[in-house]
Amino acid sequence: MWWKEPVTSLKGIGVKKAAELAELNIATVGDLLEYYPRQGAYLDYANLKKIKDLLTDGSKQIFKAEVCQVRNGYGSSRRAYTLVTVRDETGYAGLYFFASQRYKAQKLALGMQLLITGRVRQGRTAKSVSEVDVQSVGAEETKTPGILPVYALSGNLSQNNLRKWMAEALKLAAKELPESLPEAIVKKEALPDRLTALRNIHFPASWEALREAKRRFVFEELFLLQCGLLYYRQQSRDQREGVKHGADGALLRQVREHLPFELTEQQQKAWQEISLDMQDKRPMHRILQGDVGSGKTVISALALAKAAENGYQGCIMAPTEILAAQHYDTLREFLQPAGLRVALLTGGMRAKARRELLLNLELGLIDVLVGTHALLEEDVRFAHLSLTVTDEQHRFGVEQRARLANKSQIAPDVLVMTATPIPRTLALTVYGDLDISLMKGRPPGRKPVQTLCYNESRRREVYEGLVRQLQAGRQAYVVCPLIEQSETLRVRSAENVYEELRGGALKNIPCALLHGRLKGAEKEAIMADFAAGKIKALVSTTVIEVGVNVPNATLMIVENAERFGLAQLHQLRGRVGRGDKQSYCVLLAGTDSPEALARLQVLHDSEDGFYLAEKDLEQRGVGQLFGLRQHGLPDLRIADIMRDTDTIVQVRRLAQQELAKPNGRQELRRMVDMQFGERFGMIFNT
Ligand code: ADP
Ligand code: MG
């Protein structure tokens, strides 16, 4: 199979070029062909303009011309530039290269034929071109009219290199190329066949052909991803039996009666769904999505109690020690009165205590085990585990979750709790057919957090407000993007802010510095002191992002707020407003950029984490927010989760139909393996 051969099997690719291709994640000839041109980056060679016909409205245009002069000069305020004069038979144009762009001009020599893109305006004597991109045009290329691809490059690779190799690889594809989608679907959706689409995505016959090729690959990518998710999920459901828990009994009633509050309607509904799942023989795969402060912990407590009521053990894994310790306290409060035995396992435990705990766990003397990823260690063995809960799941990869679930002979029920609202489109892509329980809003009696966005000029006022809150007996967080001062970034670091506050506004007020580089025990001690009110102000990095609950904290100041995503800021903001007092979140922007301030303003306007997460996706793209890879999934090459929502919904339905067909499963398996290889299966086959 030629597509599995290394790229060196192509003419013209040696070890050195192969290494450069490897940087682009291209190892095989198949990888190469799937390396699509940059989004929208094609040169319309068929419609090259003459210099005389170039519009001078500042729009980006493409033309071909010959270099006739290269000269360096200084512009206003002594800005260095290089001016390259080019000509064709209709006239002259000047290409301007400024500052860091000047290297592009260095390679140019008199007489070179160039393909030029840039913004064209009318200069004093000739047309001037800025934001210039040039490519020297080889003799054979001048003869090929049409649309040429532009690839993202690495090392010393050139566009010509890639174009030549693509053409070679396409020749191989012409001889043999299996269809990757079911024929019936290709036909019904009127998609171009795979070979035609491959040809047109690299060397489009027309813009229309290119559009069709893209449509096909977006469809293919999303469809096969969905097939993979469905196939392996189904597989895992068939492999191990789950536990059929009984209906809620006396113990659960007792736990519920002892709760210090009534469940809200949203909580009741979520609990109902989880409870029914647990009573089903099929293992539960449910994600509980609840905005920060929506009260997810108590739901996990009920689920854990239910496991115990049925004679099984349950565990809950949190991403940080601070959070695990907090869960431990809360769960003890909820569950111990009903006689349940709750234990805490962390990385920093002493050997003797740990041994004892593990022994008790294996003997079944512990009902609920709370911990960090320390739970994943080989020697953590349960007597009979029937429920795993992971909190704040975006911190854990798919593989870690799977490792936890594998700690049981039977397939345990899996509950994943997340405060990161996952937009529906992403949930469909990443979680396939995982069931979702939603809790919107918060328990009653909690005032919304007032959010204010300021720039540097208001810092003094903001600090005065901080002092006022502390004097009134409240507590505050000051969050910074970095621990230490960075040489390159002009950002206020936690260390700097801490020193500054201690020497100034917060003189004589107990405060502390908290960041991820402190040892677990140190962090815990600081958090404990803060929770107990001994520390009034906590200067920290985003380590406090997840979960900690200090109701007396009523103010959060975020330094350089422009450096955070909206969803993350919302998450941070969730640390305040946890009591009955009015709380405030002040976003201090280290910039005056109107766009940055407008972006932050969205937080002032909305407290809906789901809305904010969607906004964040729009603004920053999926890659920034949750890389698919972080979830153990392959990166998408061409599909876009925000743009292609409709396709996602459509292919999901189609994939389900395929799966339901006789032989559907083998067929899906074949297609998925062909596309993603075995790695994908390894991750999902749990
Ligand atoms: P999160 O969903 O962010 O994990 P928590 O479970 O930490 O939220 O709950 C936030 C706070 O709300 C806690 O102090 C908890 O005791 C409280 N709480 C949860 N449910 C209710 C309820 N039904 N009524 C009143 N307070 C509640
Ligand atoms: Mg929580």
Side-chain angles (χ1 to χ4, degrees), residues 250-259 302 305 334-335 338 340:
L251 189 126
L252 221 66
R253 199 171 328 118
Q254 200 183 342
V255 170
R256 287 189 67 163
E257 272 165 13
H258 275 93
L259 291 179
L302 296 179
F334 290 158
L335 301 178
L340 294 184

Side-chain angles (χ1 to χ4, degrees), residues 297 327 391-392 547:
T297 320
H327 277 328
D391 192 11
E392 314 292 350

Side-chain angles (χ1 to χ4, degrees), residues 268-277 286 436-438:
Q268 303 241 27
K269 192 170 133 274
W271 170 239
Q272 187 91 50
E273 288 165 350
I274 291 164
S275 186
L276 284 177
D277 274 4
R286 183 170 286 276
I436 299 179
S437 288
L438 261 186

Side-chain angles (χ1 to χ4, degrees), residues 386-459:
S386 75
L387 171 72
T388 70
V389 183
T390 44
D391 192 11
E392 314 292 350
Q393 89 60 248
H394 69 295
R395 301 268 161 144
F396 296 110
V398 176
E399 285 174 273
Q400 283 174 308
R401 243 190 292 151
R403 248 163 79 194
L404 193 57
N406 283 338
K407 285 193 173 286
S408 177
Q409 306 297 318
I410 40 168
D413 285 330
V414 173
L415 177 63
V416 172
M417 304 199 294
T418 177
T420 310
I422 298 163
R424 193 180 133 69
T425 44
L426 192 71
L428 284 178
T429 317
V430 176
Y431 299 102
D433 66 345
L434 208 64
D435 299 308
I436 299 179
S437 288
L438 261 186
M439 295 200 306
K440 286 202 161 193
R442 303 150 152 239
R446 312 257 299 268
K447 297 193 179 72
V449 178
Q450 266 198 43
T451 303
L452 309 159
C453 311
Y454 292 141
N455 63 8
E456 202 54 38
S457 66
R458 308 284 288 270
R459 177 176 301 282

Side-chain angles (χ1 to χ4, degrees), residues 158-386:
S158 71
Q159 295 295 343
N160 277 337
N161 284 150
L162 269 119
R163 289 176 193 156
K164 218 159 56 204
W165 300 334
M166 289 299 176
E168 285 295 316
L170 280 169
K171 278 186 209 156
L172 294 173
K175 287 189 206 134
E176 183 199 0
L177 186 70
E179 179 52 74
S180 51
L181 294 172
E183 297 287 354
I185 288 186
V186 174
K187 220 165 163 186
K188 183 154 163 290
E189 300 299 322
L191 298 169
D193 68 75
R194 197 159 171 226
L195 180 61
T196 309
L198 263 184
R199 278 180 172 148
N200 279 320
I201 198 132
H202 291 295
F203 303 103
S206 67
W207 293 109
E208 174 57 23
L210 174 62
R211 254 194 309 280
E212 283 296 291
K214 279 189 183 161
R215 184 169 71 89
R216 175 192 157 106
F217 287 123
V218 167
F219 186 98
E220 174 184 295
E221 187 162 53
L222 294 172
F223 177 77
L224 291 176
L225 182 61
Q226 211 53 241
C227 286
L229 289 169
L230 289 186
Y231 172 82
Y232 284 106
R233 192 82 68 206
Q234 188 75 40
Q235 186 86 344
S236 80
R237 282 198 170 154
D238 292 357
Q239 262 167 9
R240 281 186 303 175
E241 295 239 295
V243 174
K244 191 169 158 60
H245 295 87
D248 293 4
L251 189 126
L252 221 66
R253 199 171 328 118
Q254 200 183 342
V255 170
R256 287 189 67 163
E257 272 165 13
H258 275 93
L259 291 179
F261 44 69
E262 293 278 312
L263 293 188
T264 64
E265 217 167 282
Q266 299 264 331
Q267 284 171 320
Q268 303 241 27
K269 192 170 133 274
W271 170 239
Q272 187 91 50
E273 288 165 350
I274 291 164
S275 186
L276 284 177
D277 274 4
M278 290 180 75
Q279 282 160 225
D280 196 309
K281 182 112 194 151
R282 274 188 356 182
M284 167 167 75
H285 277 275
R286 183 170 286 276
I287 182 163
L288 174 60
Q289 275 187 22
D291 212 346
V292 271
S294 61
K296 294 183 291 296
T297 320
V298 65
I299 304 295
S300 70
L302 296 179
L304 291 162
K306 188 169 177 106
E309 184 172 64
N310 286 270
Y312 290 96
Q313 294 165 302
C315 67
I316 175 165
M317 180 164 75
T320 63
E321 304 226 331
I322 296 173
L323 200 55
Q326 197 164 324
H327 277 328
Y328 176 59
D329 290 340
T330 312
L331 290 172
R332 262 192 320 181
E333 184 193 324
F334 290 158
L335 301 178
Q336 259 176 1
L340 294 184
R341 295 156 298 183
V342 185
L344 175 68
L345 178 74
T346 58
M349 274 178 96
R350 283 181 191 279
K352 183 157 171 286
R354 183 167 188 276
R355 255 201 318 275
E356 207 171 311
L357 187 156
L358 292 184
L359 183 64
N360 285 334
L361 184 70
E362 219 171 333
L363 291 173
L365 300 174
I366 291 170
D367 300 306
V368 174
L369 184 62
V370 186
T372 54
H373 48 265
L375 294 185
L376 298 173
E377 301 280 323
E378 198 71 47
D379 58 351
V380 178
R381 284 183 290 264
F382 293 82
H384 31 239
L385 176 71
S386 75

Side-chain angles (χ1 to χ4, degrees), residues 581-654:
K581 306 271 175 354
Q582 176 62 55
S583 291
Y584 304 89
C585 175
V586 181
L587 304 175
L588 267 177
T591 168
D592 289 327
S593 137
E595 296 92 63
L597 292 172
R599 190 172 75 88
L600 294 176
Q601 193 62 26
V602 178
L603 277 150
H604 166 84
D605 300 336
S606 173
E607 271 223 302
D608 181 344
F610 291 82
Y611 170 78
L612 291 169
E614 296 273 1
K615 276 269 165 216
D616 222 356
L617 271 181
E618 274 170 33
Q619 290 176 355
R620 311 208 308 167
V622 180
Q624 292 275 332
L625 238 195
F626 337 70
L628 290 187
R629 204 176 277 166
Q630 197 181 325
H631 295 273
L633 295 178
D635 285 330
L636 296 178
R637 287 171 194 280
I638 190 164
D640 179 319
I641 284 181
M642 287 313 282
R643 185 194 60 202
D644 301 318
T645 323
D646 295 346
T647 313
I648 292 177
V649 174
Q650 183 198 7
V651 297
R652 193 171 133 82
R653 212 184 48 237
L654 288 172

